[in-house]
Amino acid sequence: MFRLEGRVALVTGGSRGIGRAISTMLAKAGAEVLVNYAKGEAAARETCDAIIAAGGKAEPVGFDVGVTKAVEDAVAKIAKDKGRLDIVISNAGISIDGLLLRLKEEDLDKVLAVNLKGAIMLAKAAMRPMMRAKFGRIVFVSSVVGEMGNPGQTAYAATKAALLGVTKTLAKEYASRAITVNAITPGFIETDMTASLPEEAKKFMIEATPLGRYGTPADVAAAAMYLSSEEAGFVTGQVLRVNGGLYV
Ligand code: NAD
């Protein structure tokens, strides 16, 4: 079991789905977790209450990942209040799907703003406290769709593929500061994001997954926990696929 006592972690979009599972697992390992939300304050509080009830430390932190000033202010406040920011799990993400010929420019901008620009500006803001501490763990939650492509997901796939380039670049840029930067590419995970998919699409995804099941948020959280740990200190610039063998 990896131990994270004394570490302060920020999980964006931490109130539900994969982010909630990551927040819960990091807290169980001893980290103090800041559970970010944009709109779901009640869900974020609920997640924190559950963590606290289980003996962990957690606090909700509201900001929109797509608004740079809000990201910068939130990270600066965390670094000031907590004196450190050791782990950032860049998990918040949206998808606005549709075939390219129906893709609206404003929807492309929205997806890029949260999934890509927001993730990059968050990493930038977090580098300052991490460099001071000479320790850091940044984990981007990308997607198998960024590796394989998926019809109807041009904007989403673009952002998730781009995050892999960001991961490899930042890994090289900040390795000398003992800050590791890695990505996770989940396959088909059972959350709100995938709940609305047509039954046919769900059946197809399971059939295409050699392990023959949906992934769970906990499957992804375990990977995030490893990459956040002291023990993963020699792992950087990597893409950890949590996809049941869907893409190898
Ligand atoms: P979800 O929709 O349940 O969770 C996404 C979270 O991000 C929500 O809490 C949402 O409120 C938050 N969020 C959205 N926009 C935000 C913003 N501007 N600022 C702050 N928070 C914001 O979906 P999920 O399945 O838990 O997805 C989590 C991550 O995993 C996403 O990045 C998603 O792309 C990725 N992913 C999911 C799957 C899957 O099958 N579910 C597969 C691959 C990758």
Coordinates of all heavy atoms in Angstrom, one line a residue, residues 165-238:
G165 N 1.2 14.8 -25.4 CA 2.4 15.7 -25.7 C 2.8 16.6 -24.6 O 4.0 16.8 -24.4
V166 N 1.8 17.1 -23.9 CA 2.1 18.0 -22.8 C 2.8 17.2 -21.7 O 3.8 17.7 -21.1 CB 0.7 18.6 -22.2 CG1 1.0 19.3 -20.9 CG2 0.1 19.5 -23.2
T167 N 2.3 16.0 -21.4 CA 2.9 15.1 -20.4 C 4.4 14.9 -20.7 O 5.2 15.1 -19.8 CB 2.2 13.8 -20.4 OG1 0.8 14.0 -20.1 CG2 2.8 12.8 -19.4
K168 N 4.7 14.5 -21.9 CA 6.1 14.2 -22.3 C 7.0 15.4 -22.2 O 8.1 15.4 -21.8 CB 6.1 13.5 -23.6 CG 5.4 12.2 -23.6 CD 5.3 11.5 -25.0 CE 4.3 10.4 -24.9 NZ 4.2 9.6 -26.1
T169 N 6.4 16.5 -22.6 CA 7.2 17.8 -22.6 C 7.5 18.2 -21.2 O 8.7 18.6 -20.9 CB 6.4 18.9 -23.4 OG1 6.3 18.4 -24.7 CG2 7.2 20.2 -23.4
L170 N 6.5 18.3 -20.4 CA 6.7 18.8 -19.0 C 7.6 17.8 -18.2 O 8.3 18.2 -17.3 CB 5.3 19.0 -18.3 CG 4.4 20.0 -18.9 CD1 3.2 20.2 -18.0 CD2 5.2 21.4 -19.0
A171 N 7.4 16.5 -18.5 CA 8.3 15.5 -17.8 C 9.8 15.9 -18.1 O 10.6 15.8 -17.1 CB 8.0 14.1 -18.4
K172 N 10.1 16.2 -19.3 CA 11.5 16.6 -19.6 C 11.9 17.9 -19.0 O 13.0 18.1 -18.5 CB 11.7 16.6 -21.1 CG 11.6 15.2 -21.8 CD 11.8 15.2 -23.3 CE 11.7 13.8 -23.8 NZ 11.9 13.8 -25.3
E173 N 10.9 18.9 -19.1 CA 11.2 20.2 -18.6 C 11.5 20.3 -17.1 O 12.3 21.0 -16.6 CB 10.0 21.1 -19.0 CG 10.4 22.5 -19.5 CD 9.2 23.2 -20.1 OE1 8.8 23.0 -21.2 OE2 8.7 24.1 -19.3
Y174 N 10.8 19.4 -16.3 CA 10.8 19.6 -14.8 C 11.5 18.4 -14.1 O 11.4 18.3 -12.9 CB 9.4 19.9 -14.3 CG 9.0 21.3 -14.8 CD1 8.3 21.4 -16.0 CD2 9.6 22.4 -14.2 CE1 8.0 22.6 -16.5 CE2 9.3 23.7 -14.8 CZ 8.6 23.8 -15.9 OH 8.3 25.0 -16.5
A175 N 12.1 17.5 -14.9 CA 12.7 16.3 -14.3 C 13.8 16.7 -13.3 O 14.0 16.2 -12.3 CB 13.2 15.4 -15.4
S176 N 14.5 17.8 -13.7 CA 15.7 18.2 -12.9 C 15.2 18.7 -11.5 O 16.0 18.9 -10.6 CB 16.5 19.3 -13.6 OG 15.7 20.4 -13.8
R177 N 13.9 19.0 -11.4 CA 13.3 19.5 -10.1 C 12.7 18.4 -9.3 O 11.9 18.7 -8.4 CB 12.3 20.6 -10.4 CG 12.7 21.7 -11.3 CD 13.9 22.5 -10.8 NE 14.3 23.6 -11.7 CZ 14.3 24.8 -11.3 NH1 14.1 25.2 -10.0 NH2 14.7 25.8 -12.1
A178 N 12.8 17.2 -9.8 CA 12.2 16.0 -9.1 C 10.7 16.1 -9.2 O 10.0 15.6 -8.3 CB 12.7 15.8 -7.7
I179 N 10.2 16.7 -10.2 CA 8.7 16.8 -10.5 C 8.4 15.8 -11.6 O 9.0 15.9 -12.7 CB 8.3 18.2 -10.9 CG1 8.5 19.2 -9.7 CG2 6.8 18.2 -11.2 CD1 8.4 20.6 -10.1
T180 N 7.6 14.8 -11.3 CA 7.2 13.8 -12.4 C 5.9 14.2 -13.0 O 5.0 14.8 -12.3 CB 7.2 12.4 -11.8 OG1 6.1 12.3 -10.9 CG2 8.5 12.0 -11.2
V181 N 5.8 13.9 -14.2 CA 4.5 14.3 -15.0 C 4.2 13.0 -15.8 O 4.9 12.6 -16.7 CB 4.7 15.5 -15.9 CG1 3.4 15.9 -16.5 CG2 5.3 16.7 -15.1
N182 N 3.0 12.5 -15.5 CA 2.5 11.3 -16.2 C 1.1 11.4 -16.6 O 0.4 12.4 -16.2 CB 2.7 10.1 -15.3 CG 4.2 9.8 -15.1 OD1 4.9 9.3 -16.0 ND2 4.7 10.0 -13.9
A183 N 0.6 10.6 -17.5 CA -0.8 10.6 -17.9 C -1.4 9.2 -17.7 O -0.7 8.2 -17.8 CB -0.9 11.0 -19.4
I184 N -2.7 9.2 -17.5 CA -3.4 7.9 -17.5 C -4.4 8.0 -18.7 O -5.0 9.0 -18.9 CB -4.2 7.8 -16.2 CG1 -3.3 7.8 -15.0 CG2 -5.1 6.5 -16.2 CD1 -4.0 7.9 -13.6
T185 N -4.5 6.9 -19.4 CA -5.5 6.9 -20.5 C -6.5 5.8 -20.1 O -6.3 4.6 -20.5 CB -4.9 6.6 -21.8 OG1 -4.0 5.4 -21.7 CG2 -4.1 7.8 -22.3
P186 N -7.6 6.2 -19.5 CA -8.7 5.2 -19.2 C -9.4 4.7 -20.4 O -9.5 5.5 -21.4 CB -9.6 6.0 -18.3 CG -8.9 7.2 -17.8 CD -7.9 7.5 -18.9
G187 N -9.8 3.5 -20.4 CA -10.7 3.0 -21.5 C -12.1 3.3 -21.1 O -12.4 4.5 -20.6
F188 N -13.0 2.4 -21.3 CA -14.4 2.7 -21.0 C -14.7 2.5 -19.5 O -14.7 1.4 -19.0 CB -15.3 1.7 -21.8 CG -16.7 2.0 -21.8 CD1 -17.3 3.0 -22.7 CD2 -17.6 1.4 -20.9 CE1 -18.6 3.3 -22.6 CE2 -18.9 1.7 -20.9 CZ -19.4 2.6 -21.7
I189 N -15.0 3.6 -18.8 CA -15.2 3.6 -17.4 C -16.6 3.9 -17.1 O -17.1 4.9 -17.6 CB -14.2 4.6 -16.6 CG1 -12.8 4.4 -17.1 CG2 -14.3 4.4 -15.1 CD1 -12.1 3.1 -16.8
E190 N -17.2 3.2 -16.2 CA -18.6 3.5 -15.8 C -18.8 4.7 -14.9 O -18.5 4.6 -13.7 CB -19.2 2.2 -15.1 CG -20.7 2.1 -15.4 CD -21.2 0.7 -15.0 OE1 -20.5 0.0 -14.3 OE2 -22.4 0.4 -15.4
T191 N -19.2 5.8 -15.5 CA -19.4 7.1 -14.8 C -20.5 7.8 -15.5 O -21.1 7.4 -16.5 CB -18.2 8.0 -14.8 OG1 -18.0 8.4 -16.2 CG2 -16.9 7.3 -14.3
D192 N -20.9 9.0 -14.9 CA -21.9 9.8 -15.6 C -21.6 10.1 -17.0 O -22.5 10.3 -17.9 CB -22.0 11.2 -14.8 CG -22.7 11.0 -13.5 OD1 -23.1 9.9 -13.2 OD2 -22.7 12.0 -12.7
M193 N -20.2 10.3 -17.3 CA -19.8 10.7 -18.7 C -20.2 9.6 -19.7 O -20.6 10.0 -20.8 CB -18.3 10.9 -18.7 CG -17.8 11.5 -20.0 SD -16.1 11.9 -20.0 CE -16.1 13.6 -19.6
T194 N -20.2 8.4 -19.3 CA -20.5 7.3 -20.2 C -21.9 6.8 -20.1 O -22.4 6.0 -20.9 CB -19.5 6.1 -20.1 OG1 -19.4 5.8 -18.7 CG2 -18.1 6.5 -20.6
A195 N -22.6 7.2 -19.0 CA -23.9 6.7 -18.8 C -24.9 7.0 -19.9 O -25.8 6.2 -20.2 CB -24.5 7.3 -17.4
S196 N -24.7 8.1 -20.6 CA -25.7 8.6 -21.6 C -25.4 7.9 -22.9 O -26.2 8.2 -23.9 CB -25.6 10.1 -21.7 OG -24.3 10.5 -22.0
L197 N -24.4 7.1 -23.1 CA -24.1 6.5 -24.4 C -25.2 5.5 -24.7 O -25.7 4.9 -23.8 CB -22.7 5.7 -24.3 CG -21.5 6.5 -24.3 CD1 -20.3 5.6 -24.1 CD2 -21.3 7.3 -25.6
P198 N -25.5 5.4 -26.0 CA -26.5 4.4 -26.4 C -26.1 3.0 -26.0 O -24.9 2.7 -26.0 CB -26.6 4.5 -27.9 CG -25.7 5.7 -28.3 CD -24.9 6.1 -27.1
E199 N -27.1 2.2 -25.7 CA -26.8 0.8 -25.2 C -25.9 0.0 -26.2 O -25.0 -0.7 -25.8 CB -28.1 0.0 -25.1 CG -28.8 0.3 -23.7 CD -27.9 0.2 -22.5 OE1 -27.2 -0.8 -22.4 OE2 -27.9 1.2 -21.7
E200 N -26.2 0.3 -27.5 CA -25.4 -0.4 -28.6 C -23.9 -0.1 -28.5 O -23.0 -0.9 -28.6 CB -25.8 0.1 -29.9 CG -26.7 -0.8 -30.7 CD -27.3 0.0 -31.9 OE1 -26.5 0.5 -32.7 OE2 -28.5 0.1 -32.0
A201 N -23.6 1.2 -28.2 CA -22.2 1.7 -28.1 C -21.6 1.0 -26.9 O -20.4 0.6 -26.9 CB -22.2 3.2 -28.0
K202 N -22.3 0.9 -25.8 CA -21.8 0.3 -24.5 C -21.5 -1.2 -24.8 O -20.4 -1.6 -24.4 CB -22.8 0.4 -23.4 CG -23.0 1.8 -22.9 CD -23.9 1.8 -21.7 CE -24.3 3.1 -21.2 NZ -25.4 3.2 -20.3
K203 N -22.4 -1.8 -25.5 CA -22.2 -3.3 -25.8 C -20.9 -3.4 -26.6 O -20.1 -4.3 -26.4 CB -23.4 -3.8 -26.5 CG -23.5 -5.3 -26.6 CD -25.0 -5.7 -27.0 CE -25.0 -7.2 -27.4 NZ -24.8 -7.3 -28.9
F204 N -20.8 -2.6 -27.6 CA -19.7 -2.6 -28.5 C -18.3 -2.4 -27.7 O -17.4 -3.2 -27.9 CB -19.8 -1.6 -29.6 CG -18.6 -1.4 -30.5 CD1 -18.3 -2.3 -31.5 CD2 -17.6 -0.4 -30.2 CE1 -17.2 -2.3 -32.3 CE2 -16.5 -0.3 -31.0 CZ -16.3 -1.2 -32.1
M205 N -18.3 -1.5 -26.8 CA -17.1 -1.2 -26.1 C -16.7 -2.4 -25.2 O -15.5 -2.7 -25.1 CB -17.3 0.0 -25.2 CG -17.4 1.4 -25.9 SD -16.1 1.7 -27.0 CE -14.8 2.2 -25.9
I206 N -17.7 -3.0 -24.6 CA -17.4 -4.2 -23.7 C -16.8 -5.3 -24.6 O -15.9 -6.0 -24.2 CB -18.6 -4.6 -22.9 CG1 -18.9 -3.5 -21.9 CG2 -18.3 -6.0 -22.2 CD1 -20.1 -3.8 -21.0
E207 N -17.5 -5.5 -25.7 CA -17.0 -6.6 -26.6 C -15.6 -6.4 -27.1 O -14.8 -7.3 -27.3 CB -18.0 -6.8 -27.8 CG -19.2 -7.6 -27.4 CD -20.3 -7.6 -28.4 OE1 -20.1 -7.0 -29.5 OE2 -21.4 -8.0 -28.0
A208 N -15.3 -5.1 -27.3 CA -14.0 -4.7 -27.8 C -12.9 -4.7 -26.7 O -11.7 -4.6 -27.0 CB -14.0 -3.3 -28.5
T209 N -13.3 -4.9 -25.5 CA -12.4 -4.8 -24.3 C -12.0 -6.3 -23.9 O -12.9 -7.0 -23.4 CB -13.0 -4.1 -23.2 OG1 -13.4 -2.7 -23.6 CG2 -12.1 -4.0 -22.0
P210 N -10.8 -6.7 -24.2 CA -10.4 -8.1 -23.9 C -10.8 -8.5 -22.4 O -11.2 -9.7 -22.3 CB -8.9 -8.1 -24.1 CG -8.7 -7.1 -25.2 CD -9.7 -6.0 -24.9
L211 N -10.7 -7.7 -21.4 CA -11.1 -8.1 -20.1 C -12.6 -8.2 -19.9 O -13.1 -8.6 -18.9 CB -10.4 -7.2 -19.0 CG -8.9 -7.5 -18.8 CD1 -8.3 -6.5 -17.8 CD2 -8.7 -8.9 -18.2
G212 N -13.3 -7.8 -20.9 CA -14.8 -8.1 -21.0 C -15.6 -7.4 -20.0 O -16.7 -7.9 -19.6
R213 N -15.2 -6.2 -19.5 CA -16.1 -5.5 -18.6 C -15.8 -4.0 -18.7 O -14.8 -3.6 -19.3 CB -15.8 -5.9 -17.2 CG -14.4 -5.7 -16.6 CD -14.4 -5.9 -15.1 NE -13.0 -5.7 -14.5 CZ -12.5 -4.6 -14.1 NH1 -13.2 -3.5 -14.1 NH2 -11.3 -4.6 -13.5
Y214 N -16.7 -3.2 -18.1 CA -16.4 -1.8 -18.0 C -15.3 -1.6 -16.9 O -15.2 -2.5 -16.0 CB -17.6 -1.0 -17.4 CG -18.9 -1.1 -18.1 CD1 -19.9 -1.8 -17.5 CD2 -19.0 -0.4 -19.2 CE1 -21.2 -1.8 -18.1 CE2 -20.3 -0.4 -19.9 CZ -21.3 -1.1 -19.3 OH -22.5 -1.1 -19.9
G215 N -14.5 -0.6 -17.0 CA -13.6 -0.2 -16.0 C -14.4 0.5 -14.9 O -15.5 1.0 -15.1
T216 N -13.8 0.5 -13.7 CA -14.5 1.3 -12.6 C -13.6 2.5 -12.3 O -12.4 2.5 -12.5 CB -14.6 0.4 -11.3 OG1 -13.2 0.1 -10.9 CG2 -15.3 -0.9 -11.6
P217 N -14.2 3.5 -11.7 CA -13.4 4.6 -11.2 C -12.3 4.2 -10.3 O -11.2 4.8 -10.4 CB -14.5 5.5 -10.5 CG -15.7 5.2 -11.2 CD -15.7 3.7 -11.5
A218 N -12.5 3.2 -9.5 CA -11.4 2.7 -8.6 C -10.2 2.1 -9.4 O -9.1 2.3 -9.0 CB -12.0 1.7 -7.7
D219 N -10.5 1.5 -10.6 CA -9.4 1.0 -11.4 C -8.5 2.2 -11.8 O -7.2 2.1 -11.8 CB -9.9 0.4 -12.7 CG -10.6 -0.9 -12.5 OD1 -10.2 -1.7 -11.6 OD2 -11.6 -1.2 -13.2
V220 N -9.1 3.3 -12.2 CA -8.3 4.5 -12.6 C -7.6 5.1 -11.4 O -6.5 5.6 -11.4 CB -9.2 5.5 -13.3 CG1 -8.4 6.7 -13.8 CG2 -9.9 4.9 -14.5
A221 N -8.3 5.2 -10.2 CA -7.8 5.8 -9.0 C -6.5 5.0 -8.6 O -5.6 5.7 -8.1 CB -8.9 5.7 -7.9
A222 N -6.5 3.7 -8.7 CA -5.3 3.0 -8.3 C -4.1 3.4 -9.1 O -3.0 3.5 -8.5 CB -5.6 1.5 -8.5
A223 N -4.3 3.7 -10.4 CA -3.2 4.1 -11.2 C -2.7 5.5 -10.8 O -1.5 5.8 -10.7 CB -3.6 4.1 -12.7
A224 N -3.7 6.4 -10.5 CA -3.4 7.8 -10.0 C -2.6 7.7 -8.7 O -1.7 8.5 -8.5 CB -4.6 8.6 -9.9
M225 N -3.0 6.8 -7.9 CA -2.4 6.7 -6.5 C -0.9 6.2 -6.7 O 0.0 6.8 -6.1 CB -3.1 5.6 -5.8 CG -2.3 5.0 -4.7 SD -3.0 5.6 -3.2 CE -3.2 4.1 -2.4
Y226 N -0.7 5.2 -7.6 CA 0.7 4.8 -7.8 C 1.6 6.0 -8.4 O 2.6 6.2 -7.9 CB 0.7 3.6 -8.8 CG 2.1 3.3 -9.3 CD1 3.1 3.0 -8.4 CD2 2.5 3.5 -10.7 CE1 4.4 2.7 -8.9 CE2 3.8 3.3 -11.1 CZ 4.7 2.9 -10.2 OH 6.0 2.7 -10.6
L227 N 1.0 6.7 -9.4 CA 1.8 7.7 -10.0 C 2.1 8.9 -9.1 O 3.0 9.7 -9.3 CB 1.1 8.2 -11.3 CG 1.1 7.1 -12.4 CD1 0.3 7.6 -13.6 CD2 2.5 6.8 -12.9
S228 N 1.2 9.0 -8.0 CA 1.4 10.1 -7.0 C 2.4 9.7 -5.9 O 2.7 10.5 -5.1 CB 0.0 10.4 -6.3 OG -0.9 10.7 -7.3
S229 N 2.7 8.4 -5.9 CA 3.5 7.9 -4.7 C 5.0 8.3 -4.8 O 5.5 8.6 -5.9 CB 3.3 6.4 -4.6 OG 4.0 5.8 -5.7
E230 N 5.6 8.2 -3.7 CA 7.1 8.3 -3.6 C 7.7 7.2 -4.4 O 8.7 7.5 -5.1 CB 7.4 8.0 -2.1 CG 8.8 8.5 -1.7 CD 8.8 9.9 -1.2 OE1 7.8 10.3 -0.5 OE2 9.7 10.7 -1.6
E231 N 7.1 6.0 -4.4 CA 7.7 4.9 -5.1 C 7.7 5.0 -6.6 O 8.5 4.3 -7.3 CB 6.8 3.6 -4.8 CG 7.0 3.1 -3.3 CD 6.2 3.8 -2.3 OE1 5.6 4.9 -2.6 OE2 6.1 3.3 -1.2
A232 N 6.9 5.9 -7.2 CA 6.9 6.2 -8.6 C 7.9 7.3 -9.0 O 7.8 7.8 -10.1 CB 5.5 6.5 -9.1
G233 N 8.8 7.5 -8.2 CA 9.8 8.6 -8.4 C 10.7 8.5 -9.6 O 11.3 9.5 -10.1
F234 N 10.8 7.3 -10.2 CA 11.6 7.1 -11.4 C 10.8 6.9 -12.6 O 11.2 6.5 -13.7 CB 12.5 5.9 -11.2 CG 13.7 5.8 -12.1 CD1 14.6 6.9 -12.2 CD2 14.0 4.7 -12.8 CE1 15.7 6.9 -13.0 CE2 15.1 4.7 -13.7 CZ 16.0 5.8 -13.8
V235 N 9.5 7.3 -12.5 CA 8.5 7.1 -13.6 C 8.1 8.5 -14.0 O 7.4 9.2 -13.3 CB 7.3 6.3 -13.2 CG1 6.3 6.2 -14.3 CG2 7.7 4.9 -12.7
T236 N 8.5 8.9 -15.2 CA 8.0 10.2 -15.7 C 7.9 10.2 -17.2 O 8.5 9.5 -17.9 CB 8.9 11.4 -15.2 OG1 8.2 12.6 -15.3 CG2 10.2 11.5 -15.9
G237 N 6.9 11.0 -17.7 CA 6.7 11.1 -19.1 C 5.9 9.9 -19.7 O 5.9 9.7 -20.9
Q238 N 5.3 9.1 -18.8 CA 4.7 7.9 -19.2 C 3.2 8.0 -19.4 O 2.6 8.8 -18.8 CB 5.0 6.8 -18.2 CG 6.5 6.5 -18.0 CD 7.3 6.2 -19.3 OE1 6.9 5.4 -20.0 NE2 8.4 6.9 -19.5

